[in-house]
Amino acid sequence: MQHIPFHSLILFFLLIGPYFASPFYDGPLYDSSAHTECKEKPEEPLYGGGVLKSEHLSRGGAEDKIFSPHFVNNSYEPPLLLYNLTQDNIYSFSAWIRLKDSSSAMIRATVETEKETYNCIGTVTAKRGCWSFLKGGFVLNWPSNLSIIFFQNANGKNINIDVASQSLQPFTKQQWRINQQYIINTQRKRAVTIHVSDSGSGRRLQGASISVEQISKDFPFGSAIAKTILGNLPYQNWFVKRFNAAVFENELKWYATETDEGMVNYTISDQMLQFVRTNNIVARGHNIFWEDPKYTPPWVLNLTGIQLQTAVNSRIQSLMSQYKDEFIHWDVSNELLHFDFYEQRLGLDATFHFFKTAHESDPLATLFMNDFNVVETCGDVNSTVDAYISRIRELQRNGIFMDGIGLEGHFTIPNPPLIRAILDKLATLGLPIWLTEVDISKTLDRDAQANYLEEVLREGFSHPSVNGIMLWTAFHPNGCYQMCLTDNDFKNLEAGDVVDKLLEEWQSGRIEGVADLHGSFSFYGFLGEYRISVKYGNRTTESTFSLSRGRETRHFTITI
């Protein structure tokens, strides 16, 4: 993390509010540093090594703190020894890795305690001759007197590595929340000063009554919807009351719009789009192509060569001409990290063609890759953070206009420090990041779903590079995909209560005050649109203003 000036620290203390109990916060500030390039030398350890600094690191710079371990039965020895870990702490872990005898390998960090093994707390694609940064973390289910961190080659083969600049930093859950709140207050909010002046003389009006109300939010927070919303007024009212963004669950997918070859039907998606337009909701386009053959129209599976090329060209032209400028995003190649149906049939440049054509058809839409198991876990070798970054860079090298990172977010038990570490690494690309399909597995009870959902949403909203969050909670009377927010009467379930609580927490609501002797009134507001009403004597006036992201105080003058 960059050096924080003293005035920013004071602001930090002032903004923490109910999360801050003592006059001075003496806990660690989360270090969002991340690196995706392979470096000649390792950087210094984050947090000075944290709890590892006195146990494993000798004096000197990062170059002098290199271990040259070897692998026995695919595990790095000697392991890092950890003492007296608790289940109440959140542990952020990082290290720099260099291969000694192989050109490239996926290295996975693992924690083993007396009771269980956490198979993946972070991964990195390491290379020979340069240093790669692994960042992750873990939360224990039980306290541990003695634990170990070791490294494994994800493909199961023995390999020799060097390890440097290891760091393990514990945060209490309160400290973690304080760090989240700091980011929210500095990235999702902004200082505002309202100046009230007399319309005739221009003098400032001390004592003017000011009422400010947020009327829309800058941050897109929404959910999937299905055709079940059509004609369902209770569902529509419930949805519009909460969300400013939507995505169609299945209704835009190729198998839904062209079940039979040449028989294209957008009737349902047109009706859903009309609902979206009517209620001033932004919508994501999901999706143009789904790489999983299981969800490819059956008639397409039999096509090859020029016939398949003609079909995909027709799909893009038809979909994009039907909905040009209607959707803010398009998921172009859905789940490309896991499946490659079109590249197998049409060649490795098929994906380049999809993105290029989609951009030419709708140049103002943000084009996304979208995949699962990127933030949910690091144990899926197909969708590690480095695998995602590698695919993005491949697209960029080929001149592809791809500028959105879609992370589905289908969680069972989320790992907060791993989520944050992966977001940190993806943020180095400078592209907008969206959590696109967030839910919690139905294998858990409703209370657990609600608790874990809150963890995930707080991680997303408090990361400055996350530009929007979509839940995958489209309503179906016979049960949602994994997690419902309401019952069939649109009364909130436990997860719905969590959503409402956070929506209330993440908005400014109504703010009232009186202009000071300079005719001014200041407050911190969440980003978005505001309505302001001013009363002075028997005079009243109203206006609106926008609050967008910025470091400077937003000054707004209103005359009466």
Side-chain angles (χ1 to χ4, degrees):
M1 179 176 284
Q2 296 179 344
H3 172 69
I4 299 177
F6 179 75
H7 66 82
S8 294
L9 288 174
I10 295 299
L11 176 63
F12 168 68
F13 299 141
L14 292 175
L15 292 178
I16 290 304
Y19 301 105
F20 190 67
S22 66
F24 295 101
Y25 173 69
D26 59 357
L29 292 178
Y30 179 79
D31 193 329
S32 60
S33 299
H35 309 273
T36 55
E37 69 277 20
C38 201
K39 294 195 171 188
E40 181 181 355
K41 298 178 181 179
E43 299 287 335
E44 291 292 328
L46 304 186
Y47 312 103
V51 298
L52 299 179
K53 58 187 173 186
S54 61
E55 298 176 37
H56 298 281
L57 301 181
S58 60
R59 293 182 180 180
E63 292 177 88
D64 300 320
K65 302 171 184 177
I66 298 172
F67 298 94
S68 295
H70 59 282
F71 275 90
V72 177
N73 296 326
N74 192 35
S75 296
Y76 149 67
E77 293 186 356
L80 300 174
L81 301 180
L82 312 172
Y83 302 97
N84 301 320
L85 302 185
T86 78
Q87 79 271 35
D88 296 322
N89 279 342
I90 294 171
Y91 293 93
S92 181
F93 176 72
S94 61
W96 288 82
I97 310 293
R98 179 176 63 184
L99 301 188
K100 300 179 69 175
D101 57 3
S102 181
S103 59
S104 178
M106 179 65 67
I107 303 299
R108 175 187 299 156
T110 297
V111 172
E112 188 172 297
T113 72
E114 302 96 327
K115 290 192 174 183
E116 68 178 325
T117 299
Y118 301 79
N119 286 316
C120 191
I121 65 165
T123 61
V124 69
T125 300
K127 299 178 181 179
R128 182 174 58 197
C130 60
W131 293 91
S132 300
F133 185 61
L134 182 152
K135 191 174 189 182
F138 58 92
V139 180
L140 298 182
N141 293 321
W142 294 279
S144 172
N145 294 324
L146 177 62
S147 305
I148 61 173
I149 294 180
F150 56 91
F151 301 92
Q152 296 176 300
N153 185 359
N155 69 8
K157 297 180 180 179
N158 290 349
I159 196 170
N160 292 320
I161 64 172
D162 290 329
V163 182
S165 297
Q166 308 93 318
S167 173
L168 184 70
Q169 178 61 52
F171 294 82
T172 67
K173 291 179 180 178
Q174 183 190 36
Q175 290 170 342
W176 194 259
R177 181 66 65 83
I178 287 173
N179 277 274
Q180 288 178 328
Q181 195 64 32
Y182 171 61
I183 297 299
I184 289 172
N185 286 327
T186 55
Q187 300 294 324
R188 307 295 184 200
K189 301 175 78 172
R190 186 174 175 183
V192 183
T193 296
I194 306 293
H195 304 281
V196 184
S197 300
D198 180 82
S199 59
S201 64
R203 66 183 180 87
R204 300 295 193 190
L205 298 179
Q206 180 182 0
S209 296
I210 299 171
S211 177
V212 181
E213 182 181 9
Q214 187 175 13
I215 55 178
S216 68
K217 301 174 183 179
D218 180 69
F219 188 85
F221 187 98
S223 171
I225 56 175
K227 61 184 179 182
T228 53
I229 204 165
L230 298 176
N232 191 334
L233 189 59
Y235 183 14
Q236 293 177 5
N237 291 339
W238 182 92
F239 190 93
V240 171
K241 181 180 178 182
R242 289 160 175 80
F243 299 126
N244 61 1
V247 60
F248 300 175
E249 186 180 41
N250 298 312
E251 289 78 4
L252 275 178
K253 293 169 182 172
W254 197 359
Y255 66 74
T257 62
E258 193 176 0
T259 304
D260 299 310
E261 184 175 5
M263 304 295 290
V264 180
N265 188 339
Y266 295 117
T267 302
I268 298 298
S269 50
D270 282 348
Q271 292 173 355
M272 293 173 68
L273 187 60
Q274 184 60 42
F275 162 76
V276 165
R277 289 196 202 106
T278 301
N279 292 284
N280 297 317
I281 294 170
V282 299
R284 303 189 72 248
H286 175 81
N287 53 54
I288 301 178
F289 296 107
W290 196 342
E291 296 288 338
D292 187 348
K294 180 179 178 181
Y295 300 105
T296 300
W299 62 269
V300 175
L301 294 176
N302 299 321
L303 302 180
T304 57
I306 189 63
Q307 290 179 320
L308 180 58
Q309 187 65 62
T310 300
V312 298
N313 289 344
S314 175
R315 161 67 173 173
I316 297 177
Q317 191 278 329
S318 171
L319 186 67
M320 304 303 279
S321 62
Q322 178 79 9
Y323 294 118
K324 179 178 171 59
D325 298 330
E326 295 285 4
F327 294 96
I328 60 170
H329 302 161
W330 281 106
D331 291 330
V332 177
S333 292
N334 197 48
E335 299 179 353
L336 182 61
L337 298 176
H338 288 90
F339 308 102
D340 59 353
F341 171 79
Y342 295 99
E343 289 187 351
Q344 284 188 20
R345 298 288 183 93
L346 297 174
L348 295 178
D349 62 348
T351 303
F352 307 148
H353 171 68
F354 293 165
F355 275 90
K356 181 176 182 293
T357 307
H359 175 60
E360 291 171 348
S361 301
D362 195 353
L364 297 183
T366 305
L367 304 184
F368 275 70
M369 279 178 56
N370 188 54
D371 223 307
F372 62 93
N373 279 354
V374 182
V375 291
E376 298 95 318
T377 177
C378 60
D380 186 339
V381 295
N382 293 308
S383 53
T384 64
V385 61
D386 284 4
Y388 201 136
I389 290 170
S390 176
R391 197 64 200 248
I392 289 175
R393 286 176 170 163
E394 179 187 18
L395 290 169
Q396 292 174 333
R397 284 195 301 271
N398 283 273
I400 300 305
F401 192 90
M402 199 292 298
D403 52 4
I405 297 173
L407 308 173
E408 291 184 12
H410 296 294
F411 291 90
T412 301
I413 299 177
N415 180 349
L418 179 66
I419 294 171
R420 185 147 294 260
I422 289 170
L423 292 173
D424 288 343
K425 290 194 74 170
L426 290 170
T428 63
L429 299 178
L431 299 175
I433 300 171
W434 278 58
L435 302 182
T436 58
E437 304 180 17
V438 175
D439 61 18
I440 307 296
S441 172
K442 60 185 176 184
T443 61
L444 304 177
D445 62 48
R446 289 176 178 173
D447 286 332
Q449 281 186 318
N451 291 335
Y452 290 136
L453 178 64
E454 181 171 352
E455 286 188 7
V456 172
L457 296 181
R458 288 192 182 278
E459 289 302 328
F461 191 69
S462 65
H463 198 285
S465 293
V466 172
N467 283 15
I469 298 176
M470 303 295 291
L471 304 172
W472 204 248
T473 50
F475 171 76
H476 295 279
N478 58 348
C480 307
Y481 173 67
Q482 293 288 333
M483 182 179 70
C484 287
L485 300 180
T486 76
D487 63 17
N488 286 356
D489 295 321
F490 298 100
K491 295 180 181 178
N492 276 3
L493 301 174
E494 291 83 349
D497 285 339
V498 162
V499 169
D500 282 357
K501 179 181 74 171
L502 295 179
L503 288 172
E504 180 69 22
E505 182 180 322
W506 296 337
Q507 66 180 4
S508 297
R510 183 179 294 275
I511 301 168
E512 296 183 341
V514 177
D516 61 18
L517 60 88
H518 301 289
S520 301
F521 172 71
S522 299
F523 67 96
Y524 284 90
F526 281 95
L527 306 183
E529 299 291 320
Y530 285 79
R531 180 185 297 115
I532 179 172
S533 176
V534 176
K535 182 177 181 180
Y536 186 76
N538 60 357
R539 291 180 284 171
T540 60
T541 189
E542 292 186 351
S543 186
T544 59
F545 66 92
S546 299
L547 195 56
S548 56
R549 185 176 291 191
R551 298 180 63 87
E552 297 178 300
T553 300
R554 169 78 159 90
H555 290 269
F556 179 76
T557 299
I558 187 168
T559 58
I560 185 172

